[in-house]
Amino acid sequence: MIDEIVKEAETDFPKKVYLSYDVNASVFYDSSFWSMFYPIKKNLTIGLGLINTSTKQELKAVLAHEFGHFSQRSMKVGSYVYNVNQIIFNLVNDDESYRNSISQWASWSGYFSIFAALALFITGKIQWVLTKMYSFVNIRHMALSREMEFHADEVAANIAGSLSLEESLLRMELANNSYQNVLNFYEARYSKNQASQNIYKEQFFVINFLAQQSELDTKYDLPNVKLSESGLFNKSKLTIENQWASHPSNEDRIARLRKLNIIKDSENEPAKNLFRDFEKTEEKLTLKLFSKVKYQKEKTNLDFETFASEFEKQHIKDSFDKIFNSYYDNKNPDFSVQENAAAKDLSFEQLFSKEKVEMVYTLIALENDKKTIEAIIRKEIILKTFDYDGKKYNIKEAGKLVPEISNSISEVKNQIHQNDSDIYTYFLRLAKEVDKKDEFENIYRKFSTYDSEYEDRFKPYTDIIAATAFLNTKTPFEQISRNIKNLKPHEERLKSEITPYIDNPQMIDDLEEQTIKDLKYYIEKDLIYFNNNQYLETNLQLLMTAINILPYFLHKKYFLLKKELLAMMKDLENRIDVSEITLAEKLVNTEGKENGSAANEITV
């Protein structure tokens, strides 16, 4: 395949071709001083995680994009920019010996000190010019890089077709997310000395599992991510060109590809079929990846079935039920609402419809847009113009947008508040119907109380962080002893805060066994941190473990309370569904007894 692409792109074969672990393909080359003058031999890297989640045609498109870079003479500019950056960095930052020499020279005489000050002033101005030059050079290089990406896309489209590259780009984020999910799974099992035998087989399972959870279509046995779905939760109207971005956005790339609309014959079987024994290659790279991990005991490889089962359980445990259509993924129930007696004809489908979910993400986007525009006004973000809702604005006009966005935020907040009021009313009525009103209100109130106290519960953490700040600075021995003494009351408060969590199996089920032992030891003992004019590092490490565990416990309890409330809401909805089905069956059976054969027709 590489030979074919090289021939069609009319470029050179890579110096070397590497297989890497991740979900990517890239070109790299030597950026030494001499590379500015002699031809650059480029290398190609292909990620196994990319091959594993692509068709042959998609992989051909991605590789053709990389060979589009091979054909670009402008890549040599990267060598010039790299070396210019090195020179600027050294001149601006590595001037300590020069300043020391100037200071020593100035100390000989007051007369010399005048010239020393003048020399430092002049070099300071030169450094300022160089810093501006750095921005000038690199912003233009990034603009060139973005154009080079568009050009490489055009090469890929001419070789493999526009659609294959578009579909690969849209799936790339999900493929990478799936790969990272598998890595995170095994990172959490480090203490159990568990490893993977084939991380790519597991990645393939996860990408399809996550696609199923998000109700994505499949095409050629792979998730088919549409452009509208890739930006489903991005409702921002603000468009700012990132001058420092090396790649254009996927939206811009896909718009150009669709404009080209080049159609080619496709080979849509899995890209992994290009290998003689892909599974053996997967296992070899997996073994190489996990060989870098230093396990405490001999590692054991999880079989695929165990991984799939445990991953699915963990995912369900760590996420909210999809019955709510992502409505609560980035918001909480509104604790200020009350039952709305006037609300009628409420339905679950309407309360959690796509339109109601979009309101939540529209509010998030509006609030983020407002913060960004306020940063532009304060000149924390430097730019000349930006687009908002399809209209171009300059910096002077930015202030006019803030009141408009604030009004939009208020309107959307009111709409969401009304929907939250209807949701509360709906589930309160369901709870009354099945005699669960008190239970529902108690769970709602318990979560509401914790939510109102949440910020205050962080105070012991912030206080002890402040009280231990001296550990990171050079402090006289006498002051260290006084600081350790002043630390004791904060420690007692910390111990009292984390003790109930450690005694709760639900709160510690994800913690490593050694961490739990360390926390219990810390609580039971009165540790000494400073003795014979030196810190006792082991005890300090136990202290830091205890300090850092408190935010984890606070976050986890919040999550569990929210999950408990949503679980009851789901249970109430399911109870009503079951009762409605049972009632319908009773009606059918009753009519059947009265009407004979007519009942069979109703049942069918």
Side-chain angles (χ1 to χ4, degrees), residues 11 81 110 131 134 202 242 377 485 508 531:
T11 188
V81 173
T131 303
Y134 173 86
E202 292 161 351
N242 183 358
I377 294 168
K485 187 177 180 180
I508 60 174
N531 192 30

Side-chain angles (χ1 to χ4, degrees), residues 144-155:
L144 174 62
S145 296
R146 292 193 294 274
E147 284 304 316
M148 287 163 64
E149 290 300 320
F150 285 130
H151 171 264
D153 282 349
E154 190 169 344
V155 171

Side-chain angles (χ1 to χ4, degrees), residues 346-360:
L346 299 174
S347 71
F348 185 90
E349 290 74 18
Q350 180 186 3
L351 295 170
F352 297 100
S353 66
K354 181 182 177 182
E355 291 72 26
K356 297 296 169 63
V357 174
E358 284 182 344
M359 288 193 313
V360 174

